[in-house]
Amino acid sequence: MRPPLLNPLFAGAAGLKGIGQKLDKLMAPFLRPSHGTPGDTTRIIDLLFHLPSGLVDRRFRPRIADLPRDGVVTIEAHVAKHRPPPPMNKRLPYRVDVYDGTGMLTLVFFHAYADSIKRMLPEGETRFISGKIDWFNTEPQMAHPDHILTADQFEKMPLIEPVYPLTEGLSGKVLVKAIAQALEKLPELPEWQDSAFLQRHQWPSFAQALKAMHHPETPASVGLESLPRRRLAYDELLANQLALSLVRANMKRAAGRRLPGTGELRAKLVSALPYSLTGAQTEAIGEILRDMASEERMLRLLQGDVGSGKTVVALLALAAAVESGAQGALMVPTEILARQHFATLTALCEAAGIAVALLTGREKGKPREEILARVKSGEIGIVVGTHALFQDDVSFHDLGLVVIDEQHRFGVHQRLALQAKAGGATDLLVMTATPIPRTLALTVYGDMDVSKLTEKPPGRQPIDTRVIPMSRLNEVVEGLGRSLAQGHRAYWVCPLVEESELVDLAAAEDRFTALALVFKGKVGLVHGKMKGPEKDRVMADFKAGALQLLVSTTVIEVGVDVPEATAMVIENAERFGLAQLHQLRGRVGRGSGKSTCLLLYQEPLGETAKSRLSIMRETEDGFRIAEEDLRLRGAGEMLGTRQSGLPLFRMADLATDGDLLAAARDDSQLVLNRDPKLQSERGEALKILLYLFEREEAIRLLSAG
Ligand code: ADP
Ligand code: MG
């Protein structure tokens, strides 16, 4: 249970002055880690961990005669004269002239209430006024000053003001006030960092660091390099690494089991394959089988670029589990992918006589009960499914191996739940399609053993990638028409533009309607909100070639395998992460046909955006693309955390804090070597750190082992 000490931090923010229920609801998905789940409320801690992205410096206080051309200033002036708009023309602004002995400045208010302006600026009085300077010919103006204050109020106002990332409906002023109140609730906390380490870095305490970030004293205080921010980033990274180390320690502690297999089923499977395995696949399978055959528990990550052929590696590992008299489970992040894998595996497993079952949220009622019974009795050798695999009513006869595909979509807690279900001794193989950089792999997986598929199946041709402005849409459609007329199949991807799925959906539907008019009867649409069977039908029609053009939102990103598809159009490509574009592009170029990928962008396109897209043209090396993406966009974006349960870093920035990540990993291993149950004084403090960053699943493991 969370230490009561932390309760004030996890209390709702709705009690704060200025935060009503409406704002609370609005802020929750914006401020909570991993964007929370629907119905979540905002907590004090969410406000505290929402760090400023910059600041406004109001320290510059020129006289009116010396006003700069632009920028933010604070002046002290007498209110000279109000000039309301003429009654017949309300669209003109309300003006107030103020004067400081050196010159006149006009304050300008559009659509303003005369009463409130009169209240704020009584004629003849002195006010402190802060805001951005504009010039109208030779006359200085300030439109809608940020602050208009009396001398008393001014004395209390900080001249450096933090600027926060905002969301629609949430104003900076409201947030500043709420965060100031939240800071007052900070309890006295023990120090969890090593004191020598703190001193070496000259880092402040956790509480001091938060205060320094939210009440910045100089422009440097909120920068990426600022000591308080680095301290907080380290706290976050240490919590993450400690949690992962605990998971790993716990898994390794649990006695493993030997799953040596006989080779019999695998031989049948391999001879049923329409191709021979690549060297990289054979090698990876060898590593996996060695782990499975050993006493120790397998904890292995299989990295392979999109299209490198991970599925068959998984299948052979699963078959080895079945040969050993156990069962295997393959967990994937989406319904479409589960169905696709199920179809692939069923076809191959027939040859070997292995029974495969599918279990997703959509299997319900009687059929589901039947599947569950056959899984429980052990009749089913391999189960493929979504996270529905570890719902409470699912129990296995003897689960020996769990394979998790496209893992970065799952959170650590889901992985833990599946392991708990498996009863401790299961081997674990995690497959990732994005060849994520080492730093990032560490934050998501901790220290797992790694196998890599470094080679693609033979015969793949390079994908011809082009970057094209949206203004040439007509030509693109024409080209696509020629390709469809020759019998080719193509994808058309519409992006996630808005936070709101409904708006995106509308965009995809509009595109579908337009394309369906041009290519009658050949176009299908899939998106995340579609009913399952409907989605299946469209996918099946596309797979079979009855539909030639598949319009979709990003649902096809993960894993869809239709080797006959040779063209892909991605709309608003500039809005995607590079790794995501790479994943999408990986849906084509899977067969021996020549493939194209058209990246459509909306003009105008900035320099960075241009160079990002040109990387896609230059290389198909997922690793290089991933590194670039991490550099250009940061980790959260790259992993597509928006759709995942990944612990999103709120304060650490992997591009800047890579050094801290390595330190956090070493630190966490050191701590656990000395104090595996976190019982020392520092250990107890570290538990508080884990709670603070909501890694309490890891704490449960302390008592479990
Ligand atoms: P990913 O690693 O992206 O999950 P898949 O497992 O979906 O890749 O494989 C991509 C495609 O390559 C599939 O159509 C699969 O049948 C094919 N494939 C896999 N291994 C080989 C191989 N050794 N030779 C030829 N084709 C292969
Ligand atoms: Mg795959």
Side-chain angles (χ1 to χ4, degrees):
M1 226 185 49
R2 180 190 302 137
L5 176 69
L6 295 179
N7 285 347
L9 294 179
F10 287 88
L16 299 177
K17 247 186 285 164
I19 305 288
Q21 281 194 352
K22 218 171 120 198
L23 262 182
D24 179 25
K25 276 230 179 66
L26 181 96
M27 291 192 305
F30 180 58
L31 297 182
R32 287 187 60 137
S34 305
H35 304 277
T37 44
D40 273 346
T41 55
T42 312
R43 303 150 311 168
I44 298 293
I45 189 110
D46 302 319
L47 290 168
L48 293 178
F49 283 177
H50 190 57
L51 298 186
S53 52
L55 46 73
V56 181
D57 189 345
R58 303 190 184 280
R59 289 176 301 176
F60 185 38
R61 297 179 51 186
R63 295 177 309 170
I64 290 178
D66 304 327
L67 281 174
R69 289 308 302 172
D70 52 23
V72 171
V73 299
T74 303
I75 57 154
E76 179 183 355
H78 305 286
V79 180
K81 196 171 142 215
H82 281 239
R83 291 191 279 145
M88 300 312 294
N89 199 347
K90 287 281 184 210
R91 298 176 65 187
L92 286 177
Y94 192 113
R95 294 189 168 88
V96 180
D97 296 327
V98 300
Y99 179 73
D100 76 349
T102 71
M104 191 80 88
L105 168 71
T106 304
L107 308 180
V108 183
F109 301 87
F110 293 91
H111 311 291
Y113 290 106
D115 285 353
S116 71
I117 297 177
K118 280 181 192 141
R119 226 179 307 119
M120 284 189 297
L121 293 160
E123 278 181 23
E125 303 230 348
T126 300
R127 286 291 180 271
F128 290 80
I129 300 160
S130 187
K132 224 167 117 15
I133 285 299
D134 283 323
W135 287 77
F136 187 71
N137 297 327
T138 56
E139 289 170 21
Q141 294 194 339
M142 188 186 285
H144 296 271
D146 302 326
H147 298 282
I148 299 171
L149 303 171
T150 62
D152 279 356
Q153 291 168 325
F154 181 66
E155 211 158 272
K156 284 181 229 141
M157 188 190 83
L159 286 180
I160 295 183
E161 206 170 83
V163 173
Y164 294 98
L166 296 174
T167 186
E168 205 179 315
L170 176 64
S171 85
K173 271 190 184 162
V174 167
L175 200 52
V176 165
K177 269 197 197 137
I179 290 174
Q181 297 172 69
L183 277 170
E184 282 166 22
K185 313 232 173 208
L186 254 181
E188 189 85 38
L189 296 173
E191 181 56 73
W192 44 77
Q193 299 295 2
D194 179 63
S195 61
F197 186 75
L198 280 186
Q199 251 168 20
R200 181 144 40 88
H201 285 277
Q202 297 182 302
W203 284 346
S205 73
F206 172 75
Q208 282 166 346
L210 276 178
K211 285 180 187 148
M213 289 303 289
H214 291 299
H215 297 314
E217 278 173 7
T218 67
S221 10
V222 302
L224 280 175
E225 297 300 334
S226 93
L227 298 179
R229 197 206 61 83
R230 293 268 288 173
R231 146 96 214 209
L232 295 171
Y234 190 72
D235 285 339
E236 186 168 38
L237 291 171
L238 184 62
N240 164 269
Q241 286 302 300
L242 198 56
L244 287 169
S245 300
L246 282 168
V247 171
R248 180 183 165 85
N250 185 62
M251 291 190 64
K252 286 284 179 188
R253 197 164 45 229
R257 61 187 286 189
R258 289 168 32 78
L259 295 171
T262 58
E264 190 189 336
L265 299 176
R266 274 173 285 146
K268 285 185 187 156
L269 286 171
V270 168
S271 60
L273 286 175
Y275 47 77
S276 48
L277 297 173
T278 64
Q281 283 169 327
T282 309
E283 202 170 309
I285 292 163
E287 287 166 353
I288 292 163
L289 292 177
R290 260 198 302 287
D291 280 3
M292 289 176 67
S294 86
E295 281 293 349
E296 201 174 334
R297 194 160 180 206
M298 174 164 77
L299 205 52
R300 185 169 283 278
L301 181 66
L302 176 63
Q303 278 196 349
D305 206 350
V306 48
S308 59
K310 292 183 290 296
T311 317
V312 70
V313 174
L315 171 62
L316 292 174
L318 292 164
V322 178
E323 285 168 5
S324 316
Q327 292 166 296
L330 172 60
M331 181 164 88
V332 301
T334 68
E335 177 92 40
I336 286 189
L337 202 51
R339 276 166 206 278
Q340 174 189 295
H341 277 341
F342 174 66
T344 315
L345 264 52
T346 310
L348 290 168
C349 284
E350 215 157 74
I354 305 173
V356 185
L358 175 68
L359 202 56
T360 72
R362 237 206 286 158
E363 276 65 47
K364 290 204 181 86
K366 249 228 139 78
R368 180 183 172 90
E369 274 162 36
E370 268 168 37
I371 295 171
L372 290 180
R374 292 170 65 210
V375 170
K376 193 168 180 181
S377 74
E379 182 195 332
I380 299 288
I382 298 175
V383 190
V384 181
T386 54
H387 54 276
L389 272 182
F390 53 85
Q391 270 156 14
D392 285 340
D393 60 345
V394 186
S395 57
F396 289 86
H397 176 65
D398 179 16
L399 184 58
L401 169 69
V402 173
V403 182
I404 307 184
D405 193 9
E406 317 283 357
Q407 143 84 26
H408 68 250
R409 302 265 167 152
F410 295 108
V412 172
H413 57 284
Q414 281 162 313
R415 217 195 297 165
L416 288 174
L418 193 66
Q419 267 142 36
K421 162 133 294 167
T426 21
D427 282 338
L428 178 69
L429 177 66
V430 172
M431 308 201 290
T432 109
T434 321
I436 49 182
R438 175 86 186 132
T439 38
L440 208 48
L442 265 181
T443 69
V444 188
Y445 306 111
D447 273 327
M448 295 180 85
D449 301 308
V450 179
S451 293
K452 284 189 179 154
L453 294 182
T454 46
E455 151 192 31
K456 286 202 181 169
R460 302 274 172 88
Q461 294 194 39
I463 300 168
D464 181 10
T465 301
R466 296 186 199 177
V467 181
I468 299 174
M470 201 59 190
S471 54
R472 287 172 54 196
L473 183 66
N474 283 342
E475 289 166 56
V476 170
V477 174
E478 272 170 37
L480 192 62
R482 284 191 293 275
S483 170
L484 297 185
Q486 287 165 19
H488 295 302
R489 259 170 271 172
Y491 298 100
W492 188 297
V493 182
C494 303
L496 282 170
V497 182
E498 307 273 337
E499 289 292 319
S500 143
E501 221 166 322
L502 279 181
V503 178
D504 294 323
L505 219 56
E509 272 164 354
D510 286 351
R511 180 60 68 212
F512 164 73
T513 312
L515 290 168
L517 268 178
V518 184
F519 308 119
K520 287 195 183 63
K522 296 181 182 171
V523 193
L525 172 70
V526 279
H527 56 71
K529 285 276 166 241
M530 227 157 133
K531 286 245 160 41
E534 210 182 331
K535 205 163 22 180
D536 290 349
R537 212 184 48 235
V538 177
M539 289 306 296
D541 282 351
F542 183 64
K543 245 191 142 127
L547 290 174
Q548 283 181 273
L549 179 61
L550 187 67
V551 178
S552 77
T553 51
T554 45
V555 291
I556 63 154
E557 178 191 343
V558 278
V560 173
D561 185 39
V562 180
E564 296 85 356
T566 52
M568 166 156 300
V569 179
I570 303 176
E571 244 184 272
N572 287 108
E574 77 279 5
R575 298 187 189 249
F576 288 95
L578 292 185
Q580 213 181 351
L581 286 177
H582 179 64
Q583 287 294 309
L584 285 168
R585 180 172 61 180
R587 301 303 124 217
V588 296
R590 304 196 140 221
S592 52
K594 192 160 170 40
S595 296
T596 19
C597 176
L598 306 181
L599 303 175
L600 299 187
Y601 64 88
Q602 201 71 53
E603 290 157 296
L605 196 59
E607 277 310 309
T608 333
K610 237 178 227 157
S611 63
R612 283 182 56 227
L613 288 184
S614 66
I615 292 165
M616 295 302 297
R617 220 178 40 209
E618 282 161 26
T619 183
E620 273 183 61
D621 177 349
F623 199 81
R624 207 191 126 203
I625 290 171
E627 292 275 1
E628 282 297 318
D629 214 22
L630 181 61
R631 198 171 62 74
L632 291 169
R633 305 217 325 168
E637 292 286 349
M638 177 182 157
L639 290 174
T641 21
R642 202 168 291 167
Q643 302 100 322
S644 80
L646 182 88
L648 173 77
F649 291 119
R650 291 194 275 183
M651 301 193 278
D653 173 274
L654 288 182
T656 315
D657 302 324
D659 57 331
L660 296 184
L661 179 62
R665 183 199 43 183
D666 295 346
D667 198 6
S668 71
Q669 285 171 355
L670 212 67
V671 165
L672 289 182
N673 282 341
R674 280 199 214 134
D675 180 18
K677 298 252 168 200
L678 296 183
Q679 283 160 331
S680 66
E681 197 184 335
R682 184 173 181 213
E684 290 296 337
L686 282 166
K687 276 190 216 163
I688 292 181
L689 174 73
L690 288 170
Y691 277 110
L692 204 52
F693 284 92
E694 298 174 68
R695 303 291 200 269
E696 46 255 62
E697 304 101 344
I699 293 181
R700 255 177 261 132
L701 298 177
L702 286 173
S703 44

